[in-house]
Amino acid sequence: MLEGYDDPSDQRSLSLDDTSSTEESPGDSRLSLETSNDAIPYIGQRFVTHDAAYEFYSEFAKRCGFSIRRHRTEGKDGVGKGLTRRYFVCHRAGNTPIKASNETKPQRNRKSSRCGCQAYLRISKTMDMGVPEWRVTGFGNHHNHDLLEPNQVRFLPAYRTISETDKNRIFMFAKTGISVQQMMRLMELEKCVEPGYLPFTEKDVRNLLQSFRKVDQDEDSIDLLRMCKNIKDKDLNFRYEFTLDANNRLENIAWSYASSVQAYEVFGDAIVFDTTHRLTAFDLPLGIWVGVNNYGMPCFFGCVLLREENVRSFSWALKAFLGFMNRRAPRTILTDQNVCLKDAIAIEMPSTKHAHCIWMIVAKFPSWFNAVLGERYNEWKVEFFRLYILESIQDFEIGWREMVNSFGLHTNRHIANLFASRTLWALPYLRSHFFAGMTWTGQSKAINAFIQRFLSAQTRLAHFVEQVAVAVDFKDQAGEQQTMQQNLQNISLKTGAPMESHAATILTPYAFSKLQDELVIAAHYASFQMEEGRYLVRHHTKIDGGREVIWDPRDEVVTCSCLQFEFSGILCRHALRVLSTGNCFQIPDQYLPIRWCRVNALPTKLIQSTSEHAERVQHLQSMVSALITESAKTKERLDYASEEICALLSRIREQPISTQGTRDIAHKSRSR
């Protein structure tokens, strides 16, 4: 037996002796990629040190499509003749020993890459004129596994390195609070490399940051809980929940503000739960619940910090969130591709439609496909989005297979995973569910920018709740100013249709612009009555195809096979064309959802049932209307009014409220 042998798995599969040479192995082995002769190890090759031999063999392996590791030695430094022989082997040499199961300790179900490969290099120490040197005494270059292409081999752990300069850069980025994905993109730009071509991966950066601690988290956690209690003492409508572990240390904490609970009552039908961010300075997973209001602007619903990302933690977070929101679950929820989160939603929100957020998926494309597809990456991305927006499930699945064949992606695991989860992200499978337009590109950018405001400054953990409150308050004030500016804009009618002018008085400018686009395009469509109440609608230049629209004028019910209203809450061009053909001069009330209406367009009975309250609300609306008219006359007046109104709103929010009236509004809006 050789001394220094410490890997029983390798002993079973690798048997090397002094007679080993470069003779070929049996025919079922695979030869490494060809290289120039002077770069191939050979028997008798000399090196000054064993480290020099390792570096040479490592470079050779990288060119061939594999990596190496140090295997075993003979002798020991400082004992007898010292170290006399070393073995370097392919990273897939040996077989993983079977571990004894331990029921009390969870096992990581990871597949081993070892497959008993016999490729190796053996060096022995000799003396030449009294000077020690290392010579190659054994070399085998035959592999029983596929070798990697140059654009794949760099992802092997042996070739993924983070230099000291890059480490310092990453630590600096961590202090600013930006995400790991953003760090990667910035460093790619700085180094002028294509996305996915850095010598390390996002996982490597996360592992590095995990060992990087700048604060005492236990002490900071105590301060965080104290901060939440102080906020609760000042504002009874502030809500927070937390858990402690067996050692009485903070494990999870979630919180929400009074304004968030109010906003959720009306706009909580479709939400995003973004768990892709971390407080990098503390290495804590961060979850943020957001939605979209009637003016198309992001609204904050809640935040959660978790110690672990598992089903138990996510279930606790969702329970806490539902508790904040009076046990009312959203109709739909968008998340990242997280299996644990998917399972938790199925448990805690069984009636909610869960889908994967397309912009979170697309953000991973550069690291997934840029290196694999090379120059065809942009071409592939265009084809992906073409498939993504299709309406027919059959067309999507046929097109997907053609795309895989065209780009040679049959064995790509990311493509396989995307197709396996297609019902969670591809629009053909989701159009019958309401998502408030949060799958639109413009909306995703606004939500991302909103979330980044929370992450822009990370000083101490205890201050993070305050930082989020400041960001939300700033967004509320900015949103109110934008809302006022939208309402002051003169809406330009483009079609002259009575339906257009009617909708302009009901919908917010954001929602009306979406409907107006459909109204303009509807004029280019022809409708054909197939039978009573059934129509076929298609573009006037087409001779076949089209969408089926069903219109019941008695009950004022209209549906279209494109499902746009069900998906976005905005009527489609096909339905609008049929309404116009049927001499409908106003869009039926149920197709002007309250979540897209102006506040002053809401029926008074939805705000409160008492006539006295209704009169006061109408009087307030009259004053607001007069305020807008007078303020719009000059820039100075508008600036002054905006400043005073923001201050007034801040004081109003400090007043205690009852959410019962708002619940009635939300309930009736969802039943319409």
Side-chain angles (χ1 to χ4, degrees), residues 384-397 422-433 561-563 567:
F384 173 87
F385 281 111
R386 185 190 72 80
L387 296 174
Y388 167 70
I389 63 174
L390 289 174
E391 293 179 7
S392 165
I393 292 176
Q394 183 180 7
D395 290 345
F396 172 84
E397 296 190 350
R422 62 193 180 280
T423 59
L424 292 172
W425 60 265
L427 292 190
Y429 302 91
L430 300 175
R431 290 189 183 278
S432 60
H433 301 277
S561 60
C562 77
L563 299 174
F567 183 68

Side-chain angles (χ1 to χ4, degrees), residues 333-623:
I333 184 170
L334 290 163
T335 72
D336 189 28
Q337 298 164 290
N338 188 306
V339 175
C340 294
L341 181 54
K342 178 175 178 287
D343 293 342
I345 290 172
I347 296 169
E348 305 300 335
M349 297 179 174
S351 63
T352 298
K353 173 60 180 178
H354 175 219
H356 288 160
C357 211
I358 187 62
W359 76 77
M360 297 182 192
I361 295 175
V362 172
K364 303 170 188 175
F365 281 180
S367 60
W368 284 358
F369 301 117
N370 204 340
V372 175
L373 293 168
E375 294 180 353
R376 300 194 68 190
Y377 171 69
N378 289 329
E379 178 189 352
W380 171 84
K381 198 158 64 167
V382 170
E383 177 63 11
F384 173 87
F385 281 111
R386 185 190 72 80
L387 296 174
Y388 167 70
I389 63 174
L390 289 174
E391 293 179 7
S392 165
I393 292 176
Q394 183 180 7
D395 290 345
F396 172 84
E397 296 190 350
I398 292 174
W400 187 272
R401 287 193 292 269
E402 292 174 349
M403 179 266 289
V404 170
N405 291 333
S406 175
F407 291 89
L409 295 170
H410 304 84
T411 60
N412 187 279
R413 64 185 179 90
H414 298 302
I415 286 291
N417 290 337
L418 282 173
F419 187 71
S421 63
R422 62 193 180 280
T423 59
L424 292 172
W425 60 265
L427 292 190
Y429 302 91
L430 300 175
R431 290 189 183 278
S432 60
H433 301 277
F434 179 72
F435 287 97
M438 288 190 291
T439 58
W440 297 333
T441 304
Q443 198 57 259
S444 68
K445 291 181 179 178
I447 291 175
N448 269 329
F450 182 47
I451 291 174
Q452 287 308 314
R453 183 174 294 278
F454 304 152
L455 307 175
S456 60
Q458 296 178 29
T459 51
R460 294 200 60 188
L461 186 60
H463 297 161
F464 186 66
V465 176
E466 282 187 325
Q467 291 167 359
V468 173
V470 170
V472 171
D473 186 58
F474 177 86
K475 188 64 182 180
D476 286 344
Q477 293 183 23
E480 285 151 8
Q481 292 179 357
Q482 291 179 40
T483 298
M484 183 179 293
Q485 290 171 3
Q486 280 192 35
N487 288 330
L488 287 173
Q489 292 174 357
N490 292 323
I491 293 178
S492 175
L493 302 181
K494 298 179 180 179
T495 68
M499 281 192 296
E500 182 185 22
S501 56
H502 171 243
T505 64
I506 303 296
L507 300 177
T508 62
Y510 168 80
F512 175 72
S513 68
K514 304 292 183 185
L515 181 69
Q516 188 179 54
D517 289 343
E518 296 297 317
L519 276 166
V520 170
I521 299 174
H524 298 270
Y525 281 71
S527 66
F528 307 92
Q529 186 167 1
M530 311 301 292
E531 56 183 77
E532 184 67 28
R534 302 177 76 90
Y535 298 82
L536 180 66
V537 182
R538 60 172 174 252
H539 196 271
H540 73 94
T541 62
K542 305 291 184 182
I543 60 174
D544 55 13
R547 306 293 184 274
E548 182 182 0
V549 177
I550 299 175
W551 164 235
D552 180 358
R554 185 177 62 248
D555 295 331
E556 294 189 322
V557 174
V558 62
T559 60
C560 179
S561 60
C562 77
L563 299 174
Q564 176 171 302
F565 180 78
E566 289 78 1
F567 183 68
S568 66
I570 303 294
L571 274 181
C572 64
R573 62 200 67 174
H574 317 107
L576 291 169
R577 182 71 182 96
V578 170
L579 292 179
S580 178
T581 303
N583 296 322
C584 184
F585 300 110
Q586 287 190 353
I587 295 175
D589 286 347
Q590 62 264 40
Y591 301 108
L592 297 171
I594 285 179
R595 69 126 39 244
W596 293 134
C597 289
R598 298 170 184 261
V599 174
N600 60 5
L602 296 177
T604 307
K605 63 181 181 180
L606 292 180
I607 299 176
Q608 191 74 14
S609 58
T610 65
S611 58
E612 179 185 355
H613 188 84
E615 291 177 2
R616 295 176 65 187
V617 169
Q618 288 178 342
H619 180 58
L620 179 61
Q621 289 175 349
S622 298
M623 288 192 293

Side-chain angles (χ1 to χ4, degrees), residues 129-149:
M129 304 293 291
V131 178
E133 64 179 8
W134 293 84
R135 293 188 182 184
V136 175
T137 57
F139 173 52
N141 198 32
H142 305 283
H143 301 260
N144 63 352
H145 56 88
D146 291 332
L147 298 168
L148 302 178
E149 297 294 331

Side-chain angles (χ1 to χ4, degrees), residues 82-155:
L83 188 63
T84 59
R85 183 174 292 180
R86 294 214 67 154
Y87 291 85
F88 308 125
V89 298
C90 173
H91 72 289
R92 301 195 66 177
N95 294 290
T96 303
I98 300 175
K99 295 181 180 179
S101 61
N102 186 346
E103 295 181 356
T104 62
K105 184 178 180 181
Q107 300 293 315
R108 299 179 66 181
N109 185 23
R110 294 191 304 175
K111 185 178 179 181
S112 173
S113 64
R114 298 192 181 188
C115 61
C117 181
Q118 294 287 323
Y120 77 102
L121 179 77
R122 183 180 66 233
I123 57 174
S124 301
K125 186 167 70 173
T126 62
M127 301 296 291
D128 186 10
M129 304 293 291
V131 178
E133 64 179 8
W134 293 84
R135 293 188 182 184
V136 175
T137 57
F139 173 52
N141 198 32
H142 305 283
H143 301 260
N144 63 352
H145 56 88
D146 291 332
L147 298 168
L148 302 178
E149 297 294 331
N151 63 347
Q152 298 172 319
V153 71
R154 61 193 180 84
F155 290 115

Side-chain angles (χ1 to χ4, degrees), residues 160-172:
R160 300 200 319 251
T161 58
I162 305 179
S163 67
E164 286 301 317
T165 301
D166 289 339
K167 286 181 182 179
N168 292 333
R169 196 80 174 138
I170 290 168
F171 291 153
M172 185 199 73

